[in-house]
Amino acid sequence: MKYDRSIKPSPSSEISFRMTSQSKFSLNNELDIYFVKKNDLPIIRLNVIINAGSKFDPINKKGTSNLLTMCIDEGAGKYNALELSEQFDLLGAHFSLNCNNDTIQISLQTLKENFREALDLIGKILTEPHLAEKDFEREKSKIQTQLKQLSDDPDYLANTAFDSILFGESHPYSFPVLGLNDNIANINNDEINDYYSKFILPNNSFIIAVGDITKEELKKNLNGGISDWEKGNADFHVGKVSSPDKKTVYIVNKKDAVQTEIRVGHHSTMKKSKDYYSKHLLNTILGGQFTSRINLNLREKHGYTYGAGSSFNYYKDDAYFGVSTSVGIENTTNTLNEIFYELNNIRNGVTEEELSFAKSSIIRKFPLNFETFRQVASHIIGKVIYDLPDDYYDKYVENINAVTIDEVNKAAAKNIFPDSAMTVLVGDKDKLLKQLKDDNFGEIKVVG
Amino acid sequence: MKLLNINYQKYKLDNGLEVILHQNKNLPAIAVNVWYKVGSAQETKGKTGIAHLFEHMMFQGSENVEKELHFKYVQESGGSLNASTSIDRTNYYEKLPSNYLELALWLESDRMGFFLPALNQAKLDNQKDVVFNERLERYDNQPYGLAWELLMTNLYDKNHPYSWPTIGFANDIKNYNLDDVVNFFKKHYSPNNASLVVAGNFEVEKTKSLIEKYFAYIESGEELNHIQVVNKKLSEKKVITHEDNVHLERLYLSWSTGIAYGEDEAALDILSDLLTGSKNSRLYKTLVFRKEIAQDISAFQFSGKYAGNFTIVATAKPGHTLDEIKSEIFKEINNIKANGISSKELHRSKIGIKSSFVFSLQNLDSIADHLNSYNFYLNEPNSFSYDLNRYDKVTTEEINNVSEKYLSKLFVELRIIPKRSKT
């Protein structure tokens, strides 16, 4: 060996990366199209994003938006549900629908050669869905059964309990996207059709296309299908409902569970807030990756868990900070003590070394965030939904670089609140109550 | 398809390490992917799960890389990394900006050659706890989480290397000691039992000399003999009923089939797609769409180097029984055996498979892992076209044949049902 193995190799010369530029145009029906050319493979990916997520579900009808999402591809134009699905299969196209709190999303990935035909099918789904009674009844029964199934899933129970407690009853984000079983029982097919007519409009949507196609070809392909989608009255917003955070422990009883699912968190500021970059760096240090404080503490030091992390979670109209992990029941209070220790401790400041590590990690990873067609599309979607500036990704590295240690420390003081953090525990109530009795993580309430 | 013809070079270092290089300059990135030819099949009874424990221990540092620094160095460079363990192999991989290639090679070589000097009891104890929690989180506390373990322990003979779960039995995880770890490392983690793929944006000659620099002087280990595996047939039909914290009953049917890349594997894969792969697939259409007796249904061929199985899983809708579901499943299987499938159905499956091959080329790490996988199972890294052709060649008659040949055999039936209330 002619070299010293103990010396970590340095990087070779710096690399350069420029994100492919994106362009934007609108159709006559006021549908905005964002386009990125990417031709390393003969693939095209297209997403239709509709401002019609579960936050718009009517009162006592929670689950409407998701049910429409399930029904909208159950037959359209001249095809019934099975025929429509077969048409996508025969094109080898990956087609999927998804509903979240803010939007309904249609995703298509095809080989270039089949793009036009697949796109025409999407046009039919948007403009001529059957939304027939029989299909509705089947999908309704499916989601009711799925919710029953999810009531066994500790992860789902913890997430939905946390949303419900954090946002409070009347908030549009406090309900599960999939809805509530007693509400779903009262939804009928007319209401699904109404929701469709009201929200599924080109001027309430946008499209992102990424792939091996020119802008002119894309425009041509959108003609005659998507371009005939008729616009309507669209000005849909939800009001922000504020509810104060209060340090409380909520126990969701799951008898015989062998673990406790833990969520700890509180409200936070929006993605557009001025200190977003400081918050991102802060969380990278606190709980954003494997080497962050929380995981190193809970997993690598104590062995309480398989993994633990924290994140700032952004919706279009609200945001929260949360810590998430699952541990053996006997370590529940030990884990909570460590989590609260870390939340308090980060407010004492981070080190220069931690900050430069976090910056390096985020900045150097940046080019790798644009590898797949899906990744490129989802970055543009985020930019539009959160209403970020046009040059957001062009300036991203520069903005991360500019953050000072003072700004990160201020962000910690302004954004991490252990004294008002709410805790959700999903596990065996009796064992948890016994363990928690001498600790002070807030008033204990048993829910569910 | 020309697209699937992946450029590569393959060679061997003197110590037996296989090296596969694939240049791909789409992004300023490189993927490094190491396969050790050891999975849970190489374990012995009482020490199950130790191959997977290594997936953890190999991140605990080596002589020149302290605990936690492996992760730290890769993440600091903007990279991502992970590892996984299967029945046949363990892989370790990272993707980094291309100017950090040397760092990745240094890290991978340090744990291949200099893992033991940094091993200690505290690290082992910590990772035993982590793995035990992994087992709790991913299996014991998951609805239906023990199903696979129950199926495999019953489908395979108790001495068969695929009869235990990759994560390991809970008691075994608690009992590993330092000697176990040292011996397992010495036996399986030598350069002559591994292959290294570097894929992405790099200069070939420079990369070859870096690989030489970091890996060449790691000493070879003993030559390993293939494990001897006897595939015994089930002597009787097995029905197992297991109570779990679930609301809905679920049925699992599992038949022994053949090995990975064996003569019937492609036909069995297509059969699984014809049965449950889409809305129009036979079982989905009947059980989920038309009769609405099942909430979900899936079928798949799962195979490794030494054996394989074909498994169908279906969840009953409330008010319907597993017997109803089972009877419909067999009705459809018998229908295929008697009347065959249409060429349109076969065509539909093949088109989907072809697109998926192209879609899979989007990820550098996925390409790197495929090169290692093809090299491991077929001794030829550039097998994307060969692999796709296997599916393209399948005929409707072959679908009939494999249905008859495998799905007429004795099978294991597992029923997961809600816990009875203790009254």
Side-chain angles (χ1 to χ4, degrees):
Chain A
M1 186 175 16
K2 302 187 203 80
Y3 64 98
D4 183 354
R5 251 207 104 85
S6 67
I7 298 169
K8 177 171 79 124
S10 318
S12 56
S13 56
E14 283 299 311
I15 56 169
S16 64
F17 172 76
R18 273 189 68 86
M19 196 189 153
T20 339
S21 60
Q22 114 210 359
S23 54
K24 181 187 166 187
F25 57 93
S26 303
L27 304 183
N28 285 337
N29 56 9
E30 294 177 25
L31 178 65
D32 289 338
I33 317 285
Y34 298 81
F35 167 63
V36 177
K37 189 171 167 67
K38 177 171 163 65
N39 55 5
D40 48 331
L41 288 168
I43 292 173
I44 298 171
R45 187 173 178 95
L46 180 137
N47 291 71
V48 186
I49 313 296
I50 308 161
N51 176 36
S54 64
K55 67 182 175 188
F56 296 114
D57 280 351
I59 295 169
N60 296 327
K61 305 279 178 181
K62 302 300 173 188
T64 305
S65 165
N66 181 63
L67 245 176
L68 171 62
T69 310
M70 292 174 78
C71 292
I72 199 166
D73 68 330
E74 299 296 312
K78 63 181 178 191
Y79 303 114
N80 69 27
L82 292 176
E83 288 163 352
L84 182 60
S85 166
E86 174 138 65
Q87 291 303 310
F88 280 113
D89 291 344
L90 289 171
L91 296 170
H94 286 189
F95 163 77
S96 65
L97 283 152
N98 170 275
C99 179
N100 61 34
N101 295 82
D102 289 316
T103 60
I104 292 176
Q105 309 208 353
I106 299 178
S107 310
L108 172 74
Q109 182 165 283
T110 72
L111 296 181
K112 178 184 179 176
E113 66 212 44
N114 297 325
F115 178 62
R116 171 78 208 213
E117 284 174 82
L119 188 62
D120 285 346
L121 294 173
I122 292 201
K124 293 289 175 204
I125 288 170
L126 289 167
T127 58
E128 298 173 43
H130 294 176
L131 300 177
E133 184 71 29
K134 194 168 159 258
D135 296 313
F136 165 75
E137 289 300 338
R138 183 186 60 246
E139 298 305 309
K140 176 171 162 175
S141 158
K142 201 185 280 172
I143 188 66
Q144 287 178 307
T145 307
Q146 194 190 342
L147 284 169
K148 202 168 273 177
Q149 220 169 351
L150 283 168
S151 70
D152 299 324
D153 180 354
D155 198 46
Y156 184 80
L157 291 175
N159 291 338
T160 50
F162 186 78
D163 286 350
S164 142
I165 288 154
L166 176 84
F167 290 116
E169 235 168 63
S170 54
H171 194 290
Y173 290 143
S174 76
F175 301 94
V177 171
L178 301 184
L180 301 169
N181 245 342
D182 54 350
N183 280 209
I184 291 170
N186 295 325
I187 299 175
N188 63 44
N189 193 37
D190 288 343
E191 289 161 326
I192 296 301
N193 277 277
D194 291 346
Y195 198 89
Y196 164 78
S197 309
K198 185 172 171 193
F199 288 100
I200 311 301
L201 302 168
N203 48 333
N204 192 38
S205 309
F206 65 91
I207 280 181
I208 161 80
V210 179
D212 186 7
I213 187 170
T214 64
K215 191 161 135 187
E216 286 64 40
E217 284 172 292
L218 175 63
K219 278 184 177 166
K220 221 191 293 167
N221 282 317
L222 289 162
N223 255 332
I226 304 261
S227 67
D228 293 343
W229 187 9
E230 279 178 40
K231 65 178 180 176
N233 292 322
D235 188 18
F236 304 117
H237 306 280
V238 294
K240 195 174 169 178
V241 185
S242 55
S243 58
D245 295 325
K246 181 166 177 275
K247 193 165 180 177
T248 314
V249 180
Y250 296 86
I251 296 176
V252 180
N253 187 24
K254 192 165 193 305
K255 204 171 153 41
D256 299 336
V258 296
Q259 276 200 315
T260 310
E261 275 288 338
I262 300 178
R263 303 288 181 273
V264 176
H266 51 67
H267 285 87
S268 188
T269 52
M270 307 278 278
K271 181 129 186 175
K272 270 187 97 167
S273 71
K274 279 197 197 109
D275 60 354
Y276 168 75
Y277 297 97
S278 313
K279 282 170 73 183
H280 187 40
L281 284 160
L282 170 72
N283 187 62
T284 304
I285 295 166
L286 177 62
Q289 47 188 21
F290 188 92
T291 46
S292 303
R293 289 183 181 189
I294 289 176
N295 189 59
L296 289 185
N297 180 340
L298 295 179
R299 171 176 155 137
E300 295 298 292
K301 186 171 164 204
H302 285 107
Y304 293 153
T305 179
Y306 176 49
S310 67
S311 52
F312 287 102
N313 302 283
Y314 299 102
Y315 297 109
K316 186 173 172 60
D317 304 307
D318 214 329
Y320 70 89
F321 167 77
V323 180
S324 163
T325 189
S326 59
V327 303
I329 297 174
E330 70 282 6
N331 287 319
T332 306
T333 52
N334 290 337
T335 301
L336 287 176
N337 278 320
E338 294 303 325
I339 289 173
F340 279 95
Y341 165 79
E342 293 296 351
L343 299 187
N344 280 302
N345 193 39
I346 196 94
R347 291 167 56 88
N348 299 328
V350 304
T351 66
E352 285 286 359
E353 197 194 341
E354 285 177 312
L355 178 59
S356 79
F357 170 79
K359 281 186 179 178
S360 170
S361 166
I362 294 168
I363 291 169
R364 295 185 192 285
K365 194 183 172 58
F366 187 72
L368 276 55
N369 292 338
F370 299 90
E371 185 179 18
T372 65
F373 291 73
R374 176 207 289 266
Q375 282 178 310
V376 174
S378 76
H379 282 104
I380 308 282
I381 293 169
K383 200 170 95 169
V384 179
I385 288 182
Y386 300 118
D387 192 21
L388 303 173
D390 267 348
D391 59 359
Y392 177 74
Y393 289 112
D394 303 321
K395 292 256 173 74
Y396 187 83
V397 166
E398 198 180 307
N399 282 328
I400 287 284
N401 238 331
V403 175
T404 65
I405 192 163
D406 282 349
E407 288 170 327
V408 173
N409 290 338
K410 262 185 212 142
K414 272 177 59 189
N415 292 286
I416 305 291
F417 307 113
D419 292 339
S420 57
M422 286 169 282
T423 299
V424 168
L425 304 174
V426 178
D428 195 311
K429 175 184 75 176
D430 299 333
K431 291 180 191 159
L432 288 172
L433 285 173
K434 211 184 293 172
Q435 215 184 122
L436 283 163
K437 66 180 186 311
D438 300 324
D439 289 286
N440 187 20
F441 305 111
E443 187 192 344
I444 298 172
K445 294 180 179 173
V446 180
V447 291
Chain B
M1 214 191 297
K2 204 173 148 198
L3 201 59
L4 294 179
N5 188 16
I6 304 290
N7 77 72
Y8 81 101
Q9 289 186 41
K10 175 175 155 180
Y11 61 99
K12 217 175 228 190
L13 301 188
D14 290 342
N15 59 13
L17 178 69
E18 274 190 289
V19 179
I20 298 157
L21 304 177
H22 159 64
Q23 258 190 330
N24 181 331
K25 300 204 165 179
N26 289 338
L27 261 191
I30 50 108
V32 172
N33 182 296
V34 183
W35 273 41
Y36 291 94
K37 298 167 190 171
V38 54
S40 57
Q42 275 73 20
E43 294 163 353
T44 50
K45 297 201 123 190
K47 302 290 177 192
T48 64
I50 196 164
H52 168 260
L53 175 78
F54 263 84
E55 188 198 317
H56 288 250
M57 295 307 295
M58 289 289 274
F59 289 99
Q60 292 298 304
S62 47
E63 187 167 19
N64 301 295
V65 182
E66 276 176 49
K67 179 173 157 104
E68 289 161 18
L69 288 188
H70 191 111
F71 264 96
K72 218 160 203 165
Y73 289 154
V74 173
Q75 295 189 324
E76 184 176 43
S77 320
S80 54
L81 68 168
N82 216 332
S84 75
T85 312
S86 81
I87 47 182
D88 289 337
R89 57 89 188 128
T90 313
N91 68 358
Y92 298 86
Y93 49 94
E94 42 272 316
K95 181 160 66 184
L96 294 124
S98 47
N99 52 339
Y100 283 91
L101 171 63
E102 188 170 354
L103 175 79
L105 296 173
W106 174 67
L107 288 169
E108 285 301 350
S109 62
D110 213 58
R111 59 184 175 182
M112 184 184 289
F114 310 93
F115 168 76
L116 289 177
L119 177 66
N120 62 40
Q121 189 68 42
K123 288 178 180 175
L124 174 60
D125 289 343
N126 168 247
Q127 289 307 306
K128 277 164 68 173
D129 285 344
V130 171
V131 171
F132 195 80
N133 275 298
E134 179 179 358
R135 192 188 146 97
L136 291 180
E137 181 178 331
R138 296 177 62 179
Y139 304 90
D140 299 293
N141 206 41
Q142 275 303 317
Y144 314 101
L146 294 175
W148 191 249
E149 183 172 318
L150 286 162
L151 271 182
M152 294 305 110
T153 47
N154 281 287
L155 184 65
Y156 294 108
D157 173 75
K158 67 178 183 340
N159 292 314
H160 194 287
Y162 291 169
S163 69
W164 52 81
T166 309
I167 187 81
F169 292 119
N171 267 337
D172 292 356
I173 295 172
K174 291 201 158 151
N175 287 326
Y176 309 134
N177 60 45
L178 264 187
D179 281 348
D180 296 330
V181 176
V182 171
N183 293 335
F184 198 85
F185 183 84
K186 283 185 177 160
K187 186 168 176 188
H188 297 289
Y189 277 75
S190 55
N192 47 313
N193 202 36
S195 59
L196 163 72
V197 169
V198 177
N201 198 335
F202 59 80
E203 301 306 323
V204 173
E205 289 314 313
K206 190 163 170 238
T207 300
K208 282 183 173 174
S209 65
L210 285 174
I211 291 171
E212 182 75 21
K213 172 178 172 185
Y214 285 106
F215 288 90
Y217 65 94
I218 299 173
E219 283 178 27
S220 327
E222 58 172 306
E223 281 304 319
L224 292 174
N225 296 321
H226 281 302
I227 51 173
Q228 295 301 315
V229 177
V230 183
N231 282 312
K232 289 187 189 163
K233 283 184 181 159
L234 280 181
S235 53
E236 55 180 349
K237 189 188 149 199
K238 289 191 189 174
V239 181
I240 306 121
T241 303
H242 174 78
E243 291 185 11
D244 197 357
N245 281 323
V246 296
H247 279 88
L248 305 181
E249 300 192 351
R250 188 176 277 178
L251 176 73
Y252 298 75
L253 304 170
S254 200
W255 292 262
S256 283
T257 52
I259 60 171
Y261 299 97
E263 53 172 358
D264 294 326
E265 195 196 37
L268 285 162
D269 277 338
I270 290 187
L271 176 63
S272 73
D273 187 58
L274 292 170
L275 288 174
T276 65
S278 65
K279 240 182 226 173
N280 283 281
S281 61
R282 298 281 183 111
L283 292 175
Y284 186 93
K285 188 162 66 183
T286 311
L287 281 85
V288 180
F289 191 88
R290 292 220 163 110
K291 301 200 164 174
E292 297 187 54
I293 59 175
Q295 172 70 1
D296 50 58
I297 187 156
S298 63
F300 51 90
Q301 154 77 6
F302 176 79
S303 48
K305 203 169 172 168
Y306 302 104
N309 62 78
F310 190 87
T311 300
I312 301 178
V313 186
T315 311
K317 287 202 88 151
H320 294 277
T321 65
L322 296 184
D323 286 334
E324 251 178 293
I325 287 180
K326 188 179 150 193
S327 134
E328 287 296 335
I329 290 173
F330 277 97
K331 214 194 263 176
E332 199 52 62
I333 290 173
N334 290 333
N335 182 18
I336 290 179
K337 284 182 194 165
N339 305 314
I341 57 150
S342 70
S343 51
K344 189 180 175 192
E345 283 174 286
L346 182 61
H347 175 67
R348 190 181 69 214
S349 278
K350 287 183 180 179
I351 287 180
I353 291 167
K354 181 184 149 196
S355 302
S356 297
F357 266 83
V358 178
F359 295 157
S360 78
L361 300 177
Q362 293 181 56
N363 260 322
L364 197 54
D365 17 13
S366 151
I367 295 174
D369 200 55
H370 265 95
L371 291 168
N372 247 333
S373 177
Y374 287 140
N375 186 56
F376 177 78
Y377 287 106
L378 299 167
N379 198 30
E380 168 56 62
N382 180 21
S383 293
F384 291 89
S385 295
Y386 166 83
D387 197 7
L388 178 58
N389 274 332
R390 291 195 304 149
Y391 295 99
D392 235 10
K393 285 193 312 214
V394 170
T395 62
T396 53
E397 290 74 30
E398 276 175 85
I399 300 294
N400 265 41
N401 294 344
V402 296
S403 310
E404 191 64 51
K405 181 172 168 187
Y406 297 105
L407 305 189
S408 304
K409 298 205 287 190
L410 291 170
F411 58 93
V412 174
E413 175 180 334
L414 168 66
R415 292 159 170 255
I416 297 206
I417 59 168
K419 270 191 182 158
R420 293 191 193 105
S421 52
K422 295 167 194 156
T423 46

